[in-house]
Amino acid sequence: MTSRRGLFFVGFALVALILAGGVSYFADSDPDGLDHSTLQGCTVGENEQLSGNCIAQGAKEHALKDSPLADYSVGGDDTLAGVAGVIGVIATLAVAGGFFWLLRKRSPKDT
Amino acid sequence: MPTSVAMHMSDGLLNAPTSILFGAIAVLGLVFATIGARRDLDDRTAPMAGLVAAFIFAVQMLNFPVLPGVSGHLLGGALAAILVGPWSGALCVTIVLVLQALLFADGGLTALGANITNMALIGTAAGYLVAVLLRKIAARNKVGLVAVAFIAAFCNTVIASLGFVLEFAIGGDPAFALGGVAATVIGVHCLIGIGEGVITALTVGAVGAVRPDLVHLLRGTSRPLVLKEAS
């Protein structure tokens, strides 16, 4: 059972890595539903300049917009979104996996 | 101006008191979620919860078209709740949102509480409640499980979007008529909910086919579990 469980978990992780690292290149780059809603009433110009009257005009730049992985790029290179995605999956797995592993009930045989 | 790419609420859309209010609600919710998750997590389910979080991160990158010029992406609350339970599920989505905001500048920092409230708390709770109401159908057979996953995920998306409407009603720019904002947000999220439903149904269906014992929703149902007593 242990090896079968391990196999399932490895497979699950691989699927996540493939989705973030490869399939993400086929993602739609249009604004998502929420952004679309906040952009209602505005037109987006060439330098992402907003003209018109919309909620998004109140939005502030992200405080970490210059961070190395900002907007799923790597050092500003957004052709590397897949690499950013792989980093993200590994980081999530490490943070979430570690957190949940510390939080879990210990099995009695460990004591 | 931040326009595309950012998937979640940016900073500046809600006023400061509202951001703080929903930050506090998020913290309170996460305290309860952590207490609840502790009961659900063991040697078998803890690694599953970590993987579910990583999977949600990956799938949130995959924006799919819903209208000309408009995309949508998975929120993941129902998916996580069905697989690892509502408490761990809410924490999975939260970890994804925190990492997106801190590592990828996706989703504002002051808006983090509001985004967690919508996607991790409201969305997960809604998806889980719907799934539990339909648990008998989910336990019947594979088709039932997939159908319940779809419906729960659809409700998760639409009800999570109501969270934004509520927050905007409390602390958004009053120059914009709430009715129009609500109609657009809810309308678009009904379409996104279909995509959320399809992705959730496929994922839950796949896990249910291979490891039904790792589907939290099916715990305690009459479905025979394929657990071996080997230790």
Side-chain angles (χ1 to χ4, degrees):
Chain A
M1 173 181 162
T2 307
S3 67
R4 195 173 160 235
R5 189 209 306 180
L7 212 62
F8 170 80
F9 286 159
V10 169
F12 205 171
L14 277 178
V15 170
L17 286 170
I18 291 165
L19 292 176
V23 182
S24 60
Y25 284 103
F26 299 96
D28 191 338
S29 60
D30 285 326
D32 75 358
L34 187 60
D35 287 326
H36 166 73
S37 307
T38 62
L39 287 166
Q40 282 290 84
C42 282
T43 47
V44 183
E46 274 187 21
N47 300 318
E48 300 203 337
Q49 216 82 40
L50 297 180
S51 49
N53 186 27
C54 64
I55 296 166
Q57 282 167 326
K60 293 189 184 74
E61 289 274 24
H62 200 286
L64 302 173
K65 71 178 172 62
D66 296 322
S67 69
L69 297 172
D71 290 336
Y72 304 90
S73 67
V74 177
D77 184 349
D78 51 19
T79 62
L80 295 177
V83 177
V86 168
I87 295 171
V89 167
I90 293 169
T92 310
L93 198 54
V95 172
F99 176 71
F100 290 128
W101 192 249
L102 289 174
L103 200 62
R104 82 193 193 285
K105 288 190 298 261
R106 306 298 196 270
S107 68
K109 67 182 174 202
D110 288 351
T111 55
Chain B
M1 287 301 300
T3 51
S4 59
V5 191
M7 297 196 293
H8 313 316
M9 207 188 296
S10 310
D11 287 329
L13 298 182
L14 300 176
N15 62 26
T18 309
S19 300
I20 293 168
L21 170 67
F22 283 93
I25 291 172
V27 169
L28 197 65
L30 293 175
V31 169
F32 283 111
T34 305
I35 295 167
R38 217 182 141 72
R39 285 200 313 259
D40 287 341
L41 293 167
D42 55 30
D43 284 354
R44 201 166 48 93
T45 52
M48 181 64 177
L51 280 163
V52 165
F55 182 79
I56 290 172
F57 174 87
V59 179
Q60 282 207 354
M61 290 185 72
L62 310 179
N63 282 41
F64 47 84
V66 292
L67 284 172
V70 188
S71 71
H73 64 79
L74 185 88
L75 307 184
L79 172 69
I82 290 171
L83 291 179
V84 297
W87 306 117
S88 307
L91 295 174
C92 285
V93 179
T94 300
I95 291 169
V96 169
L97 294 175
V98 170
L99 289 175
Q100 284 171 334
L102 293 181
L103 282 182
F104 299 96
D106 183 9
L109 296 180
T110 62
L112 190 55
N115 281 328
I116 288 173
T117 303
N118 297 340
M119 287 183 263
L121 301 182
I122 298 176
T124 305
Y128 186 70
L129 288 176
V130 170
V132 164
L133 284 174
L134 303 174
R135 191 188 334 230
K136 278 199 178 122
I137 299 170
R140 201 173 292 164
N141 54 35
K142 236 164 259 171
V143 177
L145 177 65
V146 166
V148 168
F150 179 90
I151 297 166
F154 177 83
C155 296
N156 150 46
T157 308
V158 176
I159 296 173
S161 80
L162 293 178
F164 171 78
V165 174
L166 173 74
E167 287 149 11
F168 194 78
I170 297 173
D173 186 342
F176 295 92
L178 187 66
V181 175
T184 310
V185 170
I186 296 166
V188 174
H189 282 85
C190 284
L191 298 175
I192 296 173
I194 297 171
E196 175 111 21
V198 169
I199 294 169
T200 304
L202 286 172
T203 309
V204 171
V207 176
V210 187
R211 290 294 306 270
D213 59 303
L214 285 176
V215 179
H216 186 278
L217 185 67
L218 300 178
R219 272 197 206 172
T221 60
S222 55
R223 190 189 178 94
L225 298 181
V226 283
L227 278 176
K228 290 176 200 160
E229 290 297 324
S231 59

